[in-house]
Amino acid sequence: MASPLGLFGGTFDPVHFGHLRLAAEMREAFRLERVVFLPAGHPWQRGRDTWAAGAERVRLLELAIAGEPAFAVDDREVRRPGPTYTVDTLSEFRREAGPDVPLVFLCGTDAFARVETWHRWESLFGLAHFAVAVRADDADWHARGPGAIPRALWPRVTMSLKDLASAPAGRIMTFAMTPLAISSTALRGLVQAGSTIRYLTPDPVADYIRDHGLYATDTRPLSPDPASR
Ligand code: ATP
């Protein structure tokens, strides 16, 4: 079977070392040929738009992964009009990769705990595997452990890497990455307070945010499609 491809969805508003470390550790653990970062266009569950525009978040990601040939940024969700649904993106990748290539969607425990609320969530597991990184700052996960995973999905959970490599989709694995309690929310708060974000994100990202005045004030428009939540 072909090498698995990693797909990493998020708002990346902005990207930080928690994201990059997750991608690097998951790539090695799951022997992913590449990890494709997929910044969301309009994350419909958040109710408001992102802080930085899609093109800015794509640029920050490009700066963050420069020089890492195993990482790529794909801006299809930013270009797609309307709300961003992961199921649409996974369907596109499945069509492009063919039926046999294992697709592994990467996410943190906080995101995955809400997977039952995602658009057409039951279809997701026919399209990709899910590799779920335990997030250091996810109090709910640390209180409940794997019980935080929706019960309907428990039969899909596996401890065996072979299960991920030998099927194109359908399994869930958790992964204890190096705990890094970094969030985009914290970075935005630091920028607004006039504090440094160095050593929380790559220097070129910190420099770009400073030089372009990103995150200094909240200029977000209301969500373009609030009725769809
Ligand atoms: P925000 O603070 O704006 O909610 P965030 O830091 O959670 O942002 P996202 O872009 O929403 O960043 O995250 C994309 C994915 O990366 C999610 O699946 C999230 O769980 C995961 N993730 C983000 N930060 C970390 C971290 N420090 N450790 C592990 N996983 C993380």
Side-chain angles (χ1 to χ4, degrees):
M1 187 162 275
S3 309
L5 175 66
L7 302 173
F8 187 13
T11 40
F12 304 108
D13 196 16
V15 59
H16 54 69
F17 279 134
H19 298 130
L20 294 166
R21 193 66 209 170
L22 181 155
E25 292 191 17
M26 293 264 206
R27 189 175 100 77
E28 287 186 340
F30 298 112
R31 304 200 182 93
L32 305 173
E33 190 188 327
R34 270 186 317 139
V35 173
V36 180
F37 289 70
L38 290 156
H42 303 294
W44 62 286
Q45 289 201 327
R46 296 202 170 200
R48 290 197 73 109
D49 215 333
T50 50
W51 274 258
E56 302 278 25
R57 291 179 289 117
V58 169
R59 184 73 196 119
L60 294 174
L61 276 164
E62 286 169 350
L63 291 168
I65 67 162
E68 172 51 84
F71 290 173
V73 185
D74 186 306
D75 68 352
R76 69 182 67 203
E77 291 191 346
V78 164
R79 284 187 284 107
R80 191 186 301 147
T84 297
Y85 297 128
T86 300
V87 69
D88 294 339
T89 308
L90 292 182
S91 301
E92 284 179 21
F93 273 95
R94 175 53 69 204
R95 264 198 305 277
E96 289 164 21
D100 299 331
V101 175
L103 298 180
V104 184
F105 189 82
L106 313 181
C107 63
T109 42
D110 59 318
F112 193 69
R114 297 189 305 270
V115 72
E116 281 174 309
T117 68
W118 297 10
H119 187 59
R120 291 181 44 215
W121 70 276
E122 277 154 321
S123 306
L124 297 168
F125 301 93
L127 296 166
H129 298 297
F130 277 70
V132 186
V134 176
R135 196 165 168 168
D137 52 3
D138 183 354
D140 189 48
W141 177 272
H142 291 291
R144 298 168 63 202
I149 294 178
R151 185 175 283 265
L153 296 175
W154 287 4
R156 297 188 178 279
V157 177
T158 178
M159 306 278 276
S160 163
L161 266 179
K162 279 201 195 118
D163 286 342
L164 257 70
S166 61
R171 306 311 297 264
I172 299 165
M173 253 185 114
T174 59
F175 178 76
M177 66 173 278
T178 303
L180 290 171
I182 305 174
S183 68
S184 300
T185 303
L187 266 73
R188 294 191 301 267
L190 289 168
V191 173
Q192 273 168 29
S195 303
T196 181
I197 56 170
R198 275 196 90 186
Y199 313 119
L200 295 171
T201 192
D203 283 346
V205 173
D207 293 346
Y208 187 97
I209 288 172
R210 185 200 55 220
D211 295 345
H212 293 78
L214 298 185
Y215 305 112
T217 50
D218 187 351
T219 53
R220 289 171 301 156
L222 279 171
S223 173
D225 192 8
S228 70
R229 268 177 277 146

